[in-house]
Amino acid sequence: MRFLCLHGKGTSAAIFKSQTSKVPAFIAAFRDRLSKDFSFDFVDGFLPSDPAAGVDLFYPAPYYSFWNDTGIHSIRKSLTWFRDYIKKNGPYDGVMCFSQGCALIASYCLYHQAETPNQPLPFKVAIFICGGVPLQVLEDVGIEVSQEVWDLNDKSSKALAEQASSDAILKSGLNRWMSADSTINSEDALRDPSNVFGLDFTKMPKHLRIMIPTVHIYGNKDPRCPASLALAQFSDPTWRKIYDHGGGHDVPRKSDVSDSISQLVEWSALAASVR
């Protein structure tokens, strides 16, 4: 099963590859626990970028992004790039993405469903790690976004920038991660579809739902975890798995977490084969 892998803003293909593999050898990682039936194609964003907060402490330049501002024109341009890339380099069975990479794929899926709902997506599964969907895209496809949602988005984005910063890393290490409510869990968050962190999914047009198997991996200490769980609500619950890795806005490489994520990737492949 061949995956296209899209990194977060201000990082790179090499960084995302490192975050999901055994480097150095004593650190566990989920890709190393998968069979050779799985392959991963890591690609750089098409725009040069400043490093994401704290990234330059661990990884050297260059850094890339898929957009450097959140205007609809910029997001649409990234989707054109994505279409061209998979047309030239595909086909891909699945996509695996982190942070801004998730935002790109989520945006692609929503626009695809809004504009060509009777055509299949060009991939069978999606693995979202610390993801979300831009609120501008939600409004652009006709979903109401309240001021409450915008305020939470701004607050969580600022908290992420602070907690991921070099100063926070050097001062507090892993203890820097602290969401607004670290007791958040997916079952409670998605219990009432009329109020998923301010979004009313009972009013969402059914044709916008993502119908392929999806895996949504988030950390309950990630300030942006509400965005991850809201994205999960767009997926068909019959073909959706949600997993809390227990950390922040990152890809933990603890042994038990790596085991769980590798099992979820295997589940996605099985689900795609029987769907």
Side-chain angles (χ1 to χ4, degrees):
M1 192 163 195
R2 187 180 184 217
F3 281 85
L4 176 63
C5 305
L6 304 178
H7 60 78
K9 177 177 170 59
T11 63
S12 67
I15 293 173
F16 192 24
K17 186 175 183 179
S18 172
Q19 291 170 327
T20 59
S21 62
K22 199 186 304 183
V23 181
F26 62 85
I27 296 179
F30 69 87
R31 284 198 301 115
D32 301 291
R33 300 174 185 230
L34 295 166
S35 74
K36 292 184 179 180
D37 293 333
F38 294 87
S39 64
F40 299 87
D41 182 5
F42 292 83
V43 60
D44 286 321
F46 62 97
L47 296 173
S49 174
D50 292 332
V55 165
D56 53 342
L57 281 180
F58 304 102
Y59 299 100
Y63 312 107
Y64 303 95
S65 294
F66 299 102
W67 58 78
N68 288 320
D69 66 79
T70 55
I72 285 296
H73 174 75
S74 296
I75 295 173
R76 287 276 197 175
K77 185 175 181 181
S78 75
L79 301 183
T80 299
W81 167 86
F82 176 71
R83 291 188 190 96
D84 291 344
Y85 187 90
I86 57 176
K87 183 177 181 180
K88 180 179 179 180
N89 298 280
Y92 290 97
D93 300 298
V95 288
M96 182 178 75
C97 37
F98 178 80
S99 197
Q100 191 186 64
C102 298
L104 188 158
I105 295 301
S107 299
Y108 180 88
C109 290
L110 290 181
Y111 279 123
H112 178 93
Q113 295 302 107
E115 297 167 0
T116 56
N118 296 320
Q119 296 182 18
L121 286 163
F123 43 85
K124 302 173 184 176
V125 301
I127 312 294
F128 296 104
I129 306 172
C130 297
V133 57
L135 300 185
Q136 297 89 333
V137 171
L138 298 187
E139 291 187 329
D140 203 36
V141 297
I143 296 173
E144 181 181 350
V145 180
S146 68
Q147 187 59 48
E148 173 192 357
V149 177
W150 278 106
D151 290 345
L152 176 59
N153 181 75
D154 292 343
K155 181 180 179 180
S156 62
S157 296
K158 290 177 182 177
L160 173 60
E162 292 172 359
Q163 294 176 32
S165 69
S166 297
D167 287 345
I169 293 170
L170 293 173
K171 181 179 179 179
S172 303
L174 292 176
N175 293 327
R176 71 192 185 278
W177 295 120
M178 181 177 62
S179 71
D181 183 359
S182 60
T183 65
I184 289 174
N185 65 70
S186 60
E187 183 177 349
D188 290 342
L190 305 183
R191 190 183 307 278
D192 179 6
S194 69
N195 184 15
V196 180
F197 300 103
L199 289 171
D200 186 352
F201 282 86
T202 65
K203 296 180 180 179
M204 185 186 77
K206 291 183 179 180
H207 70 272
L208 292 180
R209 191 171 293 280
I210 301 170
M211 299 303 294
I212 61 172
T214 58
V215 174
H216 301 265
I217 299 164
Y218 75 101
N220 63 35
K221 297 177 183 177
D222 181 1
R224 294 288 293 165
C225 72
S228 293
L229 293 172
L231 171 56
Q233 187 66 17
F234 281 96
S235 295
D236 181 351
T238 304
W239 300 101
R240 176 186 72 197
K241 295 288 186 181
I242 303 173
Y243 175 66
D244 176 8
H245 66 55
H249 196 78
D250 53 17
V251 187
R253 286 182 274 190
K254 295 188 297 182
S255 182
D256 58 334
V257 171
S258 296
D259 283 341
S260 296
I261 296 177
S262 66
Q263 290 166 14
L264 289 168
V265 175
E266 291 171 340
W267 169 84
S268 74
L270 178 61
S273 70
V274 300
R275 186 179 180 279

